[in-house]
Amino acid sequence: MQIRKRNGKLEDFNAEKINKFVERCCAGLNNVSASEIVLDAKISFRNKIPTSEIDNSLELTARSKIWKHPEYGFAAAQIHL
């Protein structure tokens, strides 16, 4: 399976890149679980899925957890940026 990057190039799918991206976005935040965001994201993986769809799903998942702790809002903002 391949992922379509923002520049239009195709790259082989690598789940570890998603995990590392969310971990970077959550760095320094207390009471925020990067792995929980990744595991709860409802990403419908398919061949040539754009990275923007993956990012949007991760952002929405982080935003949905603000009730759990307000710092998830900061994680969502970092994912968005």
Side-chain angles (χ1 to χ4, degrees), residues 21-72:
F21 167 68
V22 177
E23 286 174 6
R24 282 193 312 269
C25 292
C26 295
L29 299 176
N30 298 317
N31 304 304
V32 174
S33 170
S35 60
E36 186 177 334
I37 293 171
V38 173
L39 291 173
D40 290 352
K42 305 288 191 255
I43 304 171
S44 298
F45 288 106
R46 63 184 185 286
N47 195 35
K48 300 180 183 175
I49 184 173
T51 55
S52 60
E53 283 187 34
I54 296 169
D55 295 346
N56 287 340
S57 181
L58 293 168
E59 178 187 349
L60 290 173
T61 301
R63 287 169 56 192
S64 73
K65 296 185 174 300
I66 291 173
W67 66 270
K68 192 172 186 176
H69 196 280
E71 288 201 14
Y72 276 98

